């Protein structure tokens, strides 16, 4: 595997379910991110992890719970979601501490909440 | 308040001609700008970036121009190819903020006709 991978690619869940999204980066980066992309809206940053420590929580509801066990893996635990949480969830990684800000994205998980 | 705006939702261009995608920003703290390209069912792919100390950066067929006084940047693609058809996002970062925080525009759909 190369780059940034995300599983599952598609997920349908009911409002009472609990599920998790997984992201893995194979680039040797030390920063990872979760973004949400809703229809016709810009990408919204949700969480930032630098060196496994959460450094940004962009006022995300507590029904989204991130976990970063090491610098290569990132999870987003979902519980009691609402239909308006249906969106494309993107994971990204980058090399913190450098002079550039390029982030490398995974293909995303298309989430539908019924 | 949207700090990065792409006011053209779509752009249609003939193959071989120039494509010009525009982006405006309001936050004067932004000092690094990026363009990403996104195909359907894939994550955004980094294309080209520019620091605020420059006004132009070129990479092959892609050139980004930055006009700091107007808070405006543009991406030129010359010559345009059908494979360039995708959604293009501009993004901005302020080096003084927490690392990795990119603010995205809402995207412009580019269609290049053969």
């Amino acid at each position: 595997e190369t780059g940034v991978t995300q599983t599952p690619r598609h997920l349908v869940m009911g409002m009472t379910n609990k599920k998790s999204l997984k992201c893995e980066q194979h680039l040797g980066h030390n920063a990872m991110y979760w973004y949400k992309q809703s229809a016709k809206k810009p990408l919204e940053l949700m969480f930032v992890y630098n060196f496994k420590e959460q450094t940004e929580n962009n006022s995300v509801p507590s029904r989204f719970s991130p976990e970063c066990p090491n610098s290569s893996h990132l999870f987003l635990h979902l519980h009691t979601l609402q239909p308006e949480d249906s969106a494309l969830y993107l994971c990204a990684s980058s090399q913190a501490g450098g002079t550039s800000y390029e982030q490398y994205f995974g293909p995303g998980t298309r989430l539908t909440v019924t | 308040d949207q700090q990065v705006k792409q006011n053209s939702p779509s752009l249609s261009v003939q193959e071989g001609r120039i494509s010009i995608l525009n982006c405006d920003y309001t936050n004067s703290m932004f000092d690094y700008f990026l363009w990403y390209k996104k195909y359907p069912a894939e994550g955004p792919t980094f294309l080209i970036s520019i620091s605020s100390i420059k006004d132009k950066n070129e990479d092959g067929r892609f050139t980004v121009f930055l006009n700091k006084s107007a808070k405006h940047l543009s991406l030129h693609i010359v010559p345009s190819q059908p494979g360039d058809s995708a959604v293009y996002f501009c993004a901005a970062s302020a080096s003084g903020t927490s690392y990795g925080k990119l603010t995205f525009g809402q995207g412009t759909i580019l269609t290049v006709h053969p």
Side-chain angles (χ1 to χ4, degrees):
Chain A
E1 289 281 12
T2 59
V4 181
T5 58
Q6 290 187 243
T7 54
R9 294 293 307 274
H10 300 272
L11 178 63
V12 179
M13 59 186 288
M15 289 190 284
T16 57
N17 290 159
K18 287 185 181 181
K19 295 286 185 183
S20 295
L21 310 184
K22 179 183 176 183
C23 174
E24 184 172 1
Q25 60 95 1
H26 309 267
L27 300 168
H29 290 162
N30 50 27
M32 296 188 77
Y33 313 82
W34 279 117
Y35 286 87
K36 174 184 178 183
Q37 187 180 24
S38 304
K40 303 202 188 295
K41 285 188 175 181
L43 275 74
E44 300 171 56
L45 179 66
M46 301 175 72
F47 301 104
V48 179
Y49 278 83
N50 284 314
F51 299 94
K52 304 187 297 175
E53 299 297 320
Q54 188 181 120
T55 56
E56 184 91 15
N57 176 338
N58 212 21
S59 302
V60 180
S62 59
R63 57 186 184 270
F64 295 92
S65 174
E67 177 190 0
C68 187
N70 56 61
S71 57
S72 298
H73 293 85
L74 186 64
F75 295 90
L76 188 62
H77 304 299
L78 316 171
H79 64 98
T80 58
L81 294 191
Q82 305 298 310
E84 59 265 28
D85 297 321
S86 299
L88 180 68
Y89 289 84
L90 291 158
C91 172
S93 70
S94 72
Q95 186 60 29
T99 56
S100 66
Y101 295 81
E102 290 92 23
Q103 296 178 14
Y104 295 82
F105 285 82
T109 295
R110 174 68 62 185
L111 173 67
T112 303
V113 181
T114 60
Chain B
D1 175 35
Q2 203 169 330
Q3 298 183 62
V4 178
K5 293 183 183 178
Q6 294 174 255
N7 291 317
S8 297
S10 62
L11 175 67
S12 184
V13 170
Q14 205 69 30
E15 181 178 6
R17 308 292 283 264
I18 185 171
S19 295
I20 300 176
L21 298 114
N22 294 302
C23 180
D24 297 296
Y25 61 97
T26 58
N27 188 342
S28 57
M29 299 299 292
F30 288 148
D31 55 6
Y32 197 86
F33 304 89
L34 307 91
W35 284 95
Y36 281 83
K37 177 170 73 173
K38 185 180 184 302
Y39 293 119
E42 294 183 15
T45 302
F46 169 72
L47 201 53
I48 192 169
S49 62
I50 188 167
S51 164
S52 62
I53 62 174
K54 295 184 175 181
D55 53 21
K56 176 183 173 182
N57 189 25
E58 194 171 349
D59 184 1
R61 296 186 297 115
F62 302 91
T63 303
V64 56
F65 295 92
L66 176 62
N67 183 333
K68 290 186 289 293
S69 60
K71 293 192 177 67
H72 176 84
L73 64 154
S74 61
L75 175 68
H76 292 211
I77 306 174
V78 183
S80 302
Q81 299 173 354
D84 296 329
S85 297
V87 181
Y88 288 79
F89 295 96
C90 68
S93 180
S95 55
T97 62
S98 76
Y99 184 84
K101 187 166 183 175
L102 293 181
T103 302
F104 283 84
Q106 62 271 55
T108 296
I109 302 169
L110 173 65
T111 304
V112 180
H113 298 283

